[in-house]
Amino acid sequence: MEFWCPVGFDSISPDMPGRLSNFPYIKEQIRLSRIVESMMTNLFSPRSSLDGIVRRSCLDNLNIEFCEWNDSLPEIAKWNKWTTDDNVPFSGVATLHLYFHSARIALNHDQCGASANDPVAHTCRQYCIPSSQEIICLVRHYRNTYGLRHAPLTLVYAVVRAIRSIKLLGIPEEHKYLLQALSECSPAWDLADQIPAAEIATR
């Protein structure tokens, strides 16, 4: 059971007194989930009938909603890779932003494989590349702070999304690091063990 013990509640490194609650981050996750729900319903549902310019308009609107959500975050929920606040629970910030960046990659990834001259593909790459880089930064920070043995499933999903993105977009520098991160998550999540094997099988 030790592998399932969440960060902040284990006997080895109990949460520091005076730290903020995770509820503000849950509230922001709910707001973000509404955008993800709209994305899944309008773009990725088998029942979706959007195509052509209507589908592109929906894609653009969802990207705007993601940006507005990120811009409207309260200060305690913002992520800055250059500075950290010791009074803010990084686990809450990390989970929130891993969810955000993996969702944004999921929204734009399928459009990135089109011709480099395609303006839609170009725009989608402009979302996927920085989101992949942010996921890598978040994983590094999370790993240095807590280790990955107790990492949430959100982190595993975000790493998988980042791996797919960097392979497609030709920025493989961090590929090996991300696979290593997955292996460190594998004691708690069998899924993390399956991804490297699938990667090898498709080479």
Side-chain angles (χ1 to χ4, degrees):
M1 290 297 292
E2 64 171 313
F3 294 132
W4 293 92
C5 194
V7 168
F9 292 91
D10 57 291
S11 58
I12 299 173
S13 56
D15 209 15
M16 294 177 61
R19 292 233 172 172
L20 296 175
S21 165
N22 273 318
F23 284 112
Y25 309 107
I26 295 173
K27 178 181 177 181
E28 296 305 326
Q29 282 189 37
I30 292 171
R31 286 207 304 134
L32 181 58
S33 293
R34 293 193 181 110
I35 305 174
V36 173
E37 180 185 18
S38 178
M39 176 180 84
M40 299 302 295
T41 302
N42 295 318
L43 283 184
F44 299 125
S45 169
R47 298 180 180 179
S48 175
S49 59
L50 300 182
D51 56 10
I53 193 169
V54 178
R55 186 177 182 84
R56 177 176 174 179
S57 176
C58 182
L59 176 68
D60 290 342
N61 288 337
L62 285 166
N63 273 314
I64 290 171
E65 287 187 53
F66 275 129
C67 290
E68 289 176 342
W69 172 87
N70 191 42
D71 291 341
S72 68
L73 286 173
E75 285 301 317
I76 61 167
K78 290 184 182 295
W79 156 245
N80 183 339
K81 61 185 175 184
W82 305 115
T83 61
T84 57
D85 185 346
D86 290 338
N87 293 317
V88 173
F90 177 69
S91 57
V93 174
T95 302
L96 182 63
H97 286 271
L98 287 167
Y99 182 23
F100 164 62
H101 288 294
S102 58
R104 192 160 72 163
I105 291 174
L107 173 62
N108 292 283
H109 180 271
D110 289 348
Q111 305 295 324
C112 291
S115 167
N117 297 323
D118 184 335
V120 177
H122 175 75
T123 300
C124 290
R125 290 188 188 102
Q126 298 309 304
Y127 290 119
C128 285
I129 291 174
S131 280
S132 299
Q133 293 168 335
E134 288 297 304
I135 287 173
I136 292 166
C137 288
L138 284 159
V139 171
R140 285 189 187 279
H141 197 137
Y142 196 102
R143 185 183 187 221
N144 291 338
T145 305
Y146 306 115
L148 296 178
R149 191 170 65 170
H150 305 299
L153 184 58
T154 304
L155 186 144
V156 176
Y157 177 71
V159 169
V160 173
R161 278 292 174 191
I163 287 173
R164 290 191 68 210
S165 181
I166 64 176
K167 285 184 67 178
L168 176 66
L169 299 172
I171 45 173
E173 297 83 0
E174 300 289 355
H175 187 260
K176 185 176 180 180
Y177 176 80
L178 291 174
L179 290 178
Q180 174 62 31
L182 282 178
S183 72
E184 294 178 27
C185 295
S186 62
W189 304 106
D190 287 342
L191 175 64
D193 234 0
Q194 297 171 23
I195 303 303
E199 283 280 302
I200 294 170
T202 56
R203 285 178 188 172

